[in-house]
Amino acid sequence: MSGKTVTRADLCEAVYQKVGLSRTESADLVEQVLSEISDCLVSGEAVKLSSFGSFLVRSKGERIGRNPKTGEEVPISPRRVMVFRPSNVLKQKINESLVGE
Amino acid sequence: MIKSELVQRIAEQNPHLYQRDVENIVNAILDEIVDALKGGDRVELRGFGAFSVKNRPARIGRNPRTGQKVEVTEKYVPFFKTGKEMRERLNGGKDLGADD
């Protein structure tokens, strides 16, 4: 493991290298893809990307949490959260590559 | 929304691109994320979220039905943490704090 962090800039570079658009347009399209996925999730709809995974939106009801430092009970308000469920293909690829390195 | 619908929506916003190009763009993005995770690297997309890989060491599990011991080998699992802006947008712009 190299412990590197991949960012938007790396995604733009990948699009630039593989698709052959200008750097500016590559950056613009990476942004469009991310906002399309975000907008869809905000509208409450799931996004399923085959062989990658699914982003789902879950609604959580109110529950009682605890401040771990003081032990004080605090109510956690109802909210919507987004979860990522990796596909089996993705899980398998990661394991094949990292186990027994 | 599935991948082909995502491609279609992006293609509609970019009439100068072929659908085929848009498909390549979406795949290039996803492949880059997958390759990073395969190398054990982290992918941080500000505002959206961060992908990382967590190690699950080998352990002795038990078959809950028979109680028999089974060896579970070491595993790596992909993990996603939602970004702050995304968390807020899901809740009408309010920051309700992290909830893991």
Side-chain angles (χ1 to χ4, degrees):
Chain A
M1 286 200 209
S2 52
K4 219 176 52 182
T5 297
V6 167
T7 63
R8 267 183 178 71
D10 300 293
L11 301 188
C12 299
E13 187 62 22
V15 171
Y16 171 73
Q17 298 286 347
K18 290 187 191 165
V19 189
L21 304 172
S22 73
R23 280 210 159 79
T24 322
E25 197 171 13
S26 301
D28 194 34
L29 275 145
V30 168
E31 224 43 63
Q32 284 184 45
V33 169
L34 289 177
S35 25
E36 203 58 57
I37 295 173
S38 308
D39 292 351
C40 189
L41 291 165
V42 170
S43 81
E45 199 193 327
V47 178
K48 297 181 182 181
L49 305 169
S50 68
S51 82
F52 184 75
S54 312
F55 294 101
L56 312 170
V57 182
R58 293 208 180 125
S59 293
K60 294 194 169 188
E62 188 180 60
R63 62 191 168 91
I64 302 300
R66 217 175 254 282
N67 179 331
K69 204 172 287 183
T70 63
E72 189 191 356
E73 285 189 352
V74 276
I76 296 172
S77 52
R79 64 191 62 209
R80 287 201 306 167
V81 296
M82 155 186 176
V83 291
F84 174 64
R85 284 200 50 197
S87 74
N88 286 326
V89 179
L90 177 62
K91 287 197 269 190
Q92 203 180 343
K93 279 183 186 165
I94 291 174
N95 269 304
E96 274 170 12
S97 151
L98 291 174
V99 171
E101 236 186 7
Chain B
M1 176 169 76
I2 60 171
K3 191 149 93 181
S4 58
E5 292 165 332
L6 172 65
V7 168
Q8 207 182 329
R9 289 184 202 185
I10 303 289
E12 279 165 17
Q13 293 165 24
N14 298 274
H16 61 293
L17 295 178
Y18 291 111
Q19 183 131 343
R20 189 62 216 257
D21 294 328
V22 179
E23 238 172 73
N24 289 336
I25 292 164
V26 171
N27 286 331
I29 295 172
L30 296 179
D31 288 349
E32 186 70 12
I33 298 174
V34 173
D35 286 347
L37 296 177
K38 275 165 72 178
D41 294 336
R42 205 178 126 78
V43 180
E44 191 177 309
L45 304 168
R46 280 285 156 90
F48 184 74
F51 297 90
S52 56
V53 178
K54 288 193 173 177
N55 176 253
R56 301 268 180 267
R59 61 183 170 88
I60 304 294
R62 257 172 211 283
N63 179 331
R65 199 189 300 240
T66 62
Q68 200 180 10
K69 282 183 182 173
V70 272
E71 275 185 40
V72 181
T73 54
E74 178 189 33
K75 261 190 297 201
Y76 287 88
V77 293
F79 178 78
F80 177 80
K81 186 170 190 287
T82 312
K84 183 164 185 279
E85 195 193 317
M86 197 53 209
R87 231 166 45 212
E88 290 175 2
R89 285 191 64 200
L90 286 166
N91 294 288
K94 283 191 292 285
D95 183 9
L96 302 174
D99 174 38
D100 304 309

